[in-house]
């Protein structure tokens, strides 16, 4: 650790060194204090795999920090897993031979798949056992991801390395001629808690409430990396694979970016932003233009301060560095329009469901993280939805915590957000499967459910909250 931590106690401003207050890793605002490591490790690019692949998880070792080796979990890699690239219409076939010493499974976050292939928490692959996931890819192009979903262990397994990006391509998207190959870069952003170079996942009761925050920000599995870029347009596919940390992404110095897609694929048209919030589980597809940057200059992807309630947003920090090389005379021009997002009319909805997040007065039940006072129970059907219908789901967050809410089996549209930010942000204008709900916000989502029956879950993608039970079952009948 390059920075020393001190804790201010409110009574009489006594100052104690961190070592004496081991349980108080956070300052008063719940910030752990980001430590960057100098941006001297190159950005690794995960191996690419096609739609038919081996995706066996196991224990591995890698260097997250330079010169230090740590034990990790990974899918046939040192950390994380391959970037899977599949074309719409292909079958995805993934063999999972569980070489971990604990149960796991694979959930295809963002994909519309049959219930028995969805990595539901009840469908587990035990240590030493295997399972073959197999389903057709039948949805538009987009940036998705895969990760384990064993109830109570999801956060630790993801924190320790199990996650990867899954890209779907289709003809509509290919026709746009967006930057590809070396100029299309997947970025998996995760914060990690490291002690003496080792990954540590041991949330306290307080961290189960706020989320487990790491001091080390990794991209594609290494701390504070750099990437040598050319002076031209790039496409960055960004995944927030952190358990709880929200990033307010920006490019310094003030480069701006064009958002072209979010969770469910391309937006209707590019959206120019200088900063954008990205919650756990969410993805962003952005175009950035390095062509006007001087050769040798440095551009940082950073997270700016934001109003995130009591637990997040008080700190700004750098995530990774781009070192800009010579201009390539690239002639790419961002398209003015990308796709067509057909709005689902509100009057198509046959039902409105309301979910109150962490309703007051339920603390006595012992459950801290709930929807309408309920927390996860294996096998209990909490909501029954008719196959193929359109519904509106409202989530009301009256509390002080941040909740990125994720629904399996669907891509939804956000009708409104009231309270808090009071509106929809540019990255929310397309299809989404995860929506960030800040304190005092209420969001209304509209979605059409699949035609095929089956059991799925919806949950908070703050993985500490999820493992603590902030997840319910819904059954499509
Ligand atoms: Cu990304 Cu149910 O999860
Ligand atoms: Cu999911
Ligand atoms: Cu939550």
């Amino acid at each position: 650790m390059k920075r020393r931590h001190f804790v201010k106690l409110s009574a009489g401003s006594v100052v104690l060194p961190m070592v004496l207050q081991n349980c108080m890793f956070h300052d008063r605002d719940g910030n752990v204090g980001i430590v960057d490591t100098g941006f001297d490790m190159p950005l690794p690019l995960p191996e690419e795999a096609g739609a038919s692949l081996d995706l066996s998880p196991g224990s591995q070792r890698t260097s997250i920090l330079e010169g230090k080796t740590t034990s990790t979990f990974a899918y046939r890699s040192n950390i994380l897993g391959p970037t899977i690239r599949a074309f719409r219409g292909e079958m995805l076939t993934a063999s999972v031979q569980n070489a971990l010493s604990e149960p796991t499974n694979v959930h295809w976050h963002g994909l519309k798949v049959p219930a028995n292939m969805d990595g539901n928490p009840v469908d587990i692959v035990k240590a030493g056992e295997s399972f073959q996931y197999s389903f057709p890819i039948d949805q538009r192009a987009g940036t998705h991801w895969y990760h384990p979903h064993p109830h109570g262990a999801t956060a630790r397994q993801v924190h320790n390395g199990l996650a990867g990006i899954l890209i779907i391509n289709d003809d509509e998207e290919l026709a746009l001629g967006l930057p590809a190959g070396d100029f299309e870069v997947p970025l998996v952003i995760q914060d990690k808690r490291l002690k003496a170079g080792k990954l540590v996942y041991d949330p306290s009761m307080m961290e189960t409430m706020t989320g487990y925050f790491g001091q080390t920000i990794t991209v594609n599995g290494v701390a504070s990396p750099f990437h040598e870029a050319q002076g031209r347009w790039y496409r960055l596919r960004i995944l927030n694979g952190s358990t709880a940390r929200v990033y307010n992404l920006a490019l310094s110095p003030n480069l701006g970016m064009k958002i072209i897609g979010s969770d469910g694929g391309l937006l209707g048209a590019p959206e120019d932003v200088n900063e954008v919030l990205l919650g756990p589980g969410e993805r962003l597809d952005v175009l950035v233009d390095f062509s006007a940057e001087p050769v040798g200059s440095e551009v940082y992807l950073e997270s700016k301060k934001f109003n995130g309630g009591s637990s997040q947003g008080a700190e700004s920090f750098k995530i990774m560095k781009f070192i800009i090389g010579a201009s390539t005379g690239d002639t790419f021009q961002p398209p003015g329009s990308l796709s067509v997002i057909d709005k689902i009319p509100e009057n198509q909805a046959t039902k409105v469901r309301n979910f109150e997040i962490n309703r007051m007065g339920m603390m006595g039940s012992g459950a801290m993280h709930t929807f309408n006072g309920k927390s996860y129970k294996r096998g209990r059907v909490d909501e029954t939805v008719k196959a193929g219908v359109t519904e509106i789901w409202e989530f009301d967050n009256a509390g002080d915590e941040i909740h990125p809410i994720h629904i399996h089996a669907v891509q939804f549209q956000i009708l409104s957000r009231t309270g808090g930010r009071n509106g929809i942000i540019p990255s929310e204008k397309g299809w989404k499967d995860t929506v960030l709900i800040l304190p005092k916000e209420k969001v209304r989502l509209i979605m059409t459910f699949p035609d095929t029956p089956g059991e799925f879950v919806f949950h908070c993608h703050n993985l500490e909250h999820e493992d603590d039970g902030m997840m319910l079952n819904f059954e499509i009948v």
Side-chain angles (χ1 to χ4, degrees), residues 57-128:
S59 294
Q60 299 289 346
R61 295 169 76 71
T62 195
S63 293
I64 295 173
L65 298 171
E66 202 160 26
K68 289 191 175 142
T69 305
T70 184
S71 303
T72 57
F73 289 166
Y75 297 102
R76 46 174 261 201
S77 169
N78 294 331
I79 189 166
L80 301 172
T83 299
I84 303 174
R85 194 183 281 278
F87 208 83
R88 181 172 192 166
E90 277 189 290
M91 277 300 282
L92 190 135
T93 310
S95 311
V96 171
Q97 160 77 41
N98 183 5
L100 301 168
S101 55
E102 59 184 83
T104 191
N105 64 358
V106 181
H107 168 57
W108 314 94
H109 182 132
L111 267 61
K112 299 175 184 180
V113 308
N116 63 343
M117 293 290 150
D118 191 48
N120 188 290
V122 299
D123 296 324
I124 282 298
V125 187
K126 293 194 188 123

Side-chain angles (χ1 to χ4, degrees), residues 12 22 85 100 148 154 288 358 384 386 396 415 472:
N22 213 17
R85 194 183 281 278
L100 301 168
T154 297
V288 301
N358 301 346
T384 305
K386 287 210 186 75
D396 192 354
L415 292 171
L472 297 182

Side-chain angles (χ1 to χ4, degrees), residues 23-46:
C23 60
M24 299 177 72
F25 213 90
H26 299 79
D27 67 17
R28 200 164 36 86
D29 297 323
N31 296 300
V32 291
I34 302 294
V35 183
D36 73 55
T37 53
F39 305 95
D40 44 16
M41 291 173 81
L43 176 78
L45 294 171

Side-chain angles (χ1 to χ4, degrees), residues 18-245:
M18 195 61 222
V19 282
L20 300 183
Q21 289 291 325
N22 213 17
C23 60
M24 299 177 72
F25 213 90
H26 299 79
D27 67 17
R28 200 164 36 86
D29 297 323
N31 296 300
V32 291
I34 302 294
V35 183
D36 73 55
T37 53
F39 305 95
D40 44 16
M41 291 173 81
L43 176 78
L45 294 171
E47 150 200 23
E48 285 213 359
S52 174
L53 77 161
D54 173 75
L55 203 61
S56 296
S59 294
Q60 299 289 346
R61 295 169 76 71
T62 195
S63 293
I64 295 173
L65 298 171
E66 202 160 26
K68 289 191 175 142
T69 305
T70 184
S71 303
T72 57
F73 289 166
Y75 297 102
R76 46 174 261 201
S77 169
N78 294 331
I79 189 166
L80 301 172
T83 299
I84 303 174
R85 194 183 281 278
F87 208 83
R88 181 172 192 166
E90 277 189 290
M91 277 300 282
L92 190 135
T93 310
S95 311
V96 171
Q97 160 77 41
N98 183 5
L100 301 168
S101 55
E102 59 184 83
T104 191
N105 64 358
V106 181
H107 168 57
W108 314 94
H109 182 132
L111 267 61
K112 299 175 184 180
V113 308
N116 63 343
M117 293 290 150
D118 191 48
N120 188 290
V122 299
D123 296 324
I124 282 298
V125 187
K126 293 194 188 123
E129 295 192 348
S130 36
F131 185 77
Q132 177 149 309
Y133 291 88
S134 180
F135 51 85
I137 304 267
D138 184 20
Q139 64 192 81
R140 67 201 290 263
T143 310
H144 303 285
W145 66 302
Y146 57 92
H147 63 77
H149 222 301
H151 186 54
T154 297
R156 178 175 48 81
Q157 290 191 0
V158 172
H159 178 269
N160 290 353
L162 293 179
I165 285 186
L166 191 162
I167 294 170
I168 301 176
N169 293 118
D170 67 9
D171 290 325
E172 180 198 33
E173 183 233 4
L174 281 190
L176 292 171
L178 298 167
D182 288 348
F183 313 115
E184 176 190 1
V185 184
L187 302 176
V188 181
I189 304 176
Q190 297 177 302
D191 59 339
K192 308 274 184 206
R193 184 87 56 92
L194 292 155
K195 284 183 186 158
K198 307 279 173 239
L199 281 170
V200 178
Y201 187 79
D202 60 351
S204 64
M205 176 102 84
M206 208 266 259
E207 286 163 338
T208 297
M209 295 299 291
T210 58
Y212 190 69
F213 300 109
Q215 322 93 304
T216 303
I217 309 295
T218 64
V219 186
N220 296 350
V222 312
S224 320
F226 74 87
H227 188 64
E228 286 177 358
Q230 299 180 11
R232 52 161 289 147
W233 282 95
Y234 273 76
R235 178 183 195 177
L236 308 178
R237 297 196 189 243
I238 307 174
L239 160 68
N240 181 353
S242 308
T243 66
R245 190 181 285 281

Side-chain angles (χ1 to χ4, degrees), residues 336-351:
S337 78
L338 300 162
S339 185
V340 177
I341 308 292
D342 285 320
K343 289 253 173 281
I344 308 177
E346 265 193 68
N347 63 14
Q348 249 177 44
T350 53
K351 197 173 174 90

Side-chain angles (χ1 to χ4, degrees), residues 248-279:
N248 187 20
L249 296 176
L251 285 168
S252 74
N254 248 330
L255 204 54
M257 46 193 155
K258 270 187 196 303
I259 301 177
I260 56 170
S262 60
D263 303 347
L266 295 169
L267 303 182
E271 296 279 341
D272 286 302
V273 296
N274 283 318
E275 53 188 77
V276 55
L277 286 181
L278 191 67

Side-chain angles (χ1 to χ4, degrees), residues 369 401-404 460 462 465 470:
H369 292 110
E401 292 174 49
I402 296 174
H403 304 282
C460 183
N462 173 316
H465 293 179
M470 197 169 178

